[in-house]
Amino acid sequence: MRKDIAITGIGSVTAAGIGAPLLWQAARDGRSGIAQNPFDWEAGNLIKQTAKVPDFKAEERFSRSELAVYDPFTAFAVVAAEEAIAQSGITAAQLAGPRTACIIGTGLGGATTMDANLHKIYALHERRVDVFSVPRVMPNAAASHIGMRHHILGPSFAVSSACSSSTQAIGLGLQMLRSGMVDRAIVGGSEAMLSAGVMKAWEAMRVLTPDFIRPFSQGRNGMVLGEGAAVIVLERSAHVTARGGKALGYLMGYGTSSDAKDLLRPDPEGAASAMRQALADADVLAEDIRYINAHGTGTALNDSNEVRAARLVFGQHADHLPMSSTKPIHGHVLGGGGAIEAVISLCATQNGFLPPTINYLEADPDCDMDCVPNQGRAADLPYVMSNSLAFGGINASLVIARA
Amino acid sequence: MTSDTEIRNRVIAVVTKEAMIDADKLAPDALLADLNIDSIDMVMMLQGLEEEFGIYIPVEKSMAELKTVGDLLAFIENQIKAKG
C-alpha cells in the first residue's frame, strides 16, 4: 500500500457553489445544480439545461488587467487553486520556485472566448474581436496563470484528453512526485463551455438529455453539461510531516489506457485496464476498494460499459461495491470533471459517506451494481476509486485513501 | 392533422438522405446491419429528423436494440408522435 503522496488541499468551483465544502454537501445530500439557463445569444438551442456556476462575479474577484486575459475556464481554475493552496498551509515561499509543478487539464480551453469571437465576426459583423483572444483560448492558460500568481517555476502545462483531462493531470502530478522531479504539484482541471455555439455542437452528438440525467437507471437518455474547476495540492508525505502540515488523504494510484477502437463507443476492456493499473500502482487489492465514483454520464452507452468494466476488474466483489455517479449534482464538466469527482471521492473517505446517484427510476439489468440510488448512506471508506472515461477511448482511474 | 403516411414518407426521406440508403432497400424486415447503418448514420439521422420535424431525439438505450428497418421507422414515428 502506497501512502507516499499526500493530498493536502482541495478547492472547487462548481454548480454547487464556490468552495469544496459546498460541493461535498451537495453531493452528499443529492442536491442538483442543474437548471434551465439562458444563453447570451440565440443559436437555435433546443437544450438549455446546464449546471452553471452560480454567482461567480469574476469582476469582483479579479483586476481589470486579469479579467482582460482570463477566459472563464482560467478564472474558475485560479479560484479553485487559491482555495486548495490556502487549505494546504504551504507558504508562498515554499510554493514558489522550480520544485513545484502546475498541471491543469481542460477539454476545450477557452471555448467561451472562441465562441463569442465567432459570434462577433460572423453574426454581428463586428470589426473588433477580443483583443487577447489567443492567450485566453490557449488550453495551458489556466496552468500559466496559476503559476504566475504563485511564482511556480517547475513543469507547467495542460493535459487535454476530453473527459479524462483532469484525471490524467492528477495522475501525472503523482508520477512527477514519485520520480523526484518535483516536491509538490498543483493539479486539477477546468472547463467553461456553456455558450450557445458549443452547446449546439454537443446537441448534435445527441448525448444530451432533454429531461433528466439518470446514471445507471432504466430510461436514461443522456448527460447534462456543467462548468467549473477543481484543484488538488499533492505533496510527498515526508515533506508534509516535516513542515508540520496535515494530509487530508493520500493519492495512492493512477492508471490510464486507450481503447484504440472507436472514437465514441466505449470499450469495457479499455476501462478495465485503467482500473487494474490504478489498483496495481496503489498496491491494493480489488477487494480493498469500497466505493467507486463512476464516470457515470447517464448516456445509454457509458453506464452499461462502465459496469461491465468494473465487473471484469472486481469480479464477485462488484456485488458488494457501491459505484455512484455525482454528475446529476455538478453536471458533466468534461476536462474539469475528473478533478471535481476526485475531490468528492476524497470527501467521501473523510466523511465515511457514499454520495447517491439521484434521479434514479428503476434498475437496468445492464447496470447491475449498487449505484447508491437516490439516497446516500454512511459507509467505512478506507480506499476508493474515481474513473474518467473519455471520447477518444481514453480511460483514467485514481485510487484515493483516507488519511 | 398530418397523416401517418405523410409522416412515414418524410421519415423515409430523412433516412435515405442521412444514411445514404436507396429508398427501395428500406423493406420493413431488412436488417439495419445488412444495410450497414451504424452509430454514425443514426446520429446523422437524428440531426436530419430535428431539422425536418423540429424534435430533439437523444441516443437512448432502446436504439441499440433496433434490428430492422421496421423497428427503426416505428421508433422514430413514436418519438415524433410523443414530441411533435
Side-chain angles (χ1 to χ4, degrees):
Chain A
M1 299 222 176
R2 302 180 78 178
K3 294 192 173 175
D4 51 338
I5 306 301
I7 298 170
T8 55
I10 53 174
S12 69
V13 172
T14 65
I18 295 155
L22 290 178
L23 174 63
W24 169 246
Q25 285 161 25
R28 179 195 65 194
D29 300 343
R31 198 169 58 251
S32 176
I34 293 167
Q36 297 290 328
N37 290 306
F39 300 114
D40 290 343
W41 59 83
E42 179 53 47
N45 295 79
L46 299 175
I47 306 289
K48 294 180 181 172
Q49 65 171 346
T50 55
K52 224 173 149 51
V53 175
D55 303 321
F56 186 68
K57 297 194 178 78
E59 60 287 354
E60 292 174 16
R61 295 174 177 276
F62 301 116
S63 70
R64 183 167 172 270
S65 59
E66 287 167 340
L67 287 170
V69 291
Y70 284 10
D71 178 90
F73 102 95
T74 292
F76 293 156
V78 164
V79 171
E82 305 287 327
E83 180 189 358
I85 291 166
Q87 184 180 31
S88 74
I90 298 177
T91 65
Q94 288 166 335
L95 193 60
R99 298 291 298 169
T100 302
C102 183
I103 313 168
I104 303 296
T106 185
L108 297 173
T112 308
T113 298
M114 182 62 95
D115 199 28
N117 265 355
L118 296 174
H119 182 241
K120 280 180 192 166
I121 296 168
Y122 298 116
L124 303 178
H125 302 290
E126 287 183 10
R127 291 181 60 193
R128 172 178 280 210
V129 297
D130 193 311
V131 175
F132 296 106
S133 301
V134 169
R136 285 169 67 105
V137 167
M138 59 190 198
N140 59 312
S144 290
H145 285 294
I146 292 169
M148 283 187 273
R149 292 173 78 96
H150 299 282
H151 310 290
I152 295 169
L153 307 181
S156 172
F157 54 92
V159 174
S160 193
S161 50
C163 321
S164 292
S165 304
S166 52
T167 304
Q168 290 193 322
I170 294 168
L172 278 170
L174 173 72
Q175 292 178 334
M176 281 186 182
L177 279 158
R178 283 195 177 143
S179 75
M181 189 179 188
V182 293
D183 294 327
R184 58 199 76 77
I186 311 302
V187 292
S190 187
E191 204 74 61
M193 57 174 169
L194 305 181
S195 75
V198 182
M199 285 292 293
K200 194 68 197 161
W202 275 97
E203 225 174 66
M205 290 300 305
R206 309 285 144 186
V207 291
L208 303 184
T209 174
D211 38 75
F212 288 93
I213 167 175
R214 310 181 189 287
F216 305 113
S217 172
Q218 196 70 260
R220 69 181 180 279
N221 60 4
M223 60 170 86
V224 174
L225 292 173
E227 64 180 2
V231 171
I232 290 172
V233 178
L234 299 178
E235 295 177 75
R236 212 166 286 117
S237 300
H239 270 93
V240 180
T241 312
R243 72 171 176 86
K246 180 171 175 281
L248 306 174
Y250 298 95
L251 181 59
M252 296 182 69
Y254 165 58
T256 187
S257 70
S258 174
D259 294 349
K261 278 192 179 152
D262 189 294
L263 198 64
L264 305 177
R265 181 181 291 272
D267 176 50
E269 286 295 343
S273 166
M275 291 187 229
R276 280 194 198 102
Q277 288 179 53
L279 293 173
D281 189 39
D283 194 22
V284 295
L285 300 173
E287 290 70 27
D288 293 326
I289 301 294
R290 302 291 179 81
Y291 167 64
I292 301 175
N293 186 294
H295 190 57
T297 56
T299 58
L301 289 177
N302 174 82
D303 298 359
S304 52
N305 175 73
E306 192 167 3
V307 169
R308 282 181 63 193
R311 285 210 164 270
L312 288 173
V313 175
F314 292 95
Q316 285 193 334
H317 180 53
D319 290 337
H320 315 285
L321 178 58
M323 178 164 80
S324 72
S325 168
T326 49
K327 283 190 169 69
I329 309 300
H330 46 71
H332 190 356
V333 190
L334 206 68
I340 289 169
E341 291 153 26
V343 165
I344 292 173
S345 300
L346 173 70
C347 293
T349 67
Q350 290 178 303
N351 292 278
F353 195 87
L354 299 166
T357 304
I358 62 166
N359 299 334
Y360 189 83
L361 293 177
E362 56 183 301
D364 173 358
D366 291 340
C367 300
D368 58 341
M369 277 175 72
D370 171 16
C371 72
V372 195
N374 294 324
Q375 193 70 48
R377 61 177 192 266
D380 182 37
L381 302 176
Y383 308 103
V384 302
M385 177 177 274
S386 181
N387 288 337
S388 297
L389 314 175
F391 278 174
I394 309 300
N395 314 293
S397 298
L398 301 171
V399 172
I400 293 170
R402 72 180 168 211
Chain B
M1 194 66 186
T2 327
S3 77
D4 286 355
T5 319
E6 192 206 325
I7 289 177
R8 165 127 326 184
N9 289 339
R10 287 164 67 196
V11 169
I12 288 174
V14 169
V15 170
T16 54
K17 177 169 173 252
E18 300 293 345
M20 295 193 287
I21 303 272
D22 294 338
D24 57 12
K25 289 190 180 151
L26 291 180
D29 55 355
L31 293 171
L32 298 175
D34 290 345
L35 298 174
N36 288 324
I37 293 180
D38 62 12
S39 61
I40 290 183
D41 295 314
M42 295 292 263
V43 172
M44 296 295 288
M45 266 184 247
L46 296 177
Q47 180 67 41
L49 291 165
E50 175 185 319
E51 289 157 9
E52 178 68 22
F53 294 97
I55 55 162
Y56 177 84
I57 307 174
V59 175
E60 59 177 56
K61 196 187 161 204
S62 58
M63 289 177 62
E65 289 148 19
L66 305 174
K67 296 276 183 276
T68 65
V69 168
D71 295 343
L72 174 67
L73 295 178
F75 169 80
I76 293 170
E77 286 161 13
N78 283 336
Q79 293 278 327
I80 291 168
K81 280 175 189 153
K83 297 176 180 180

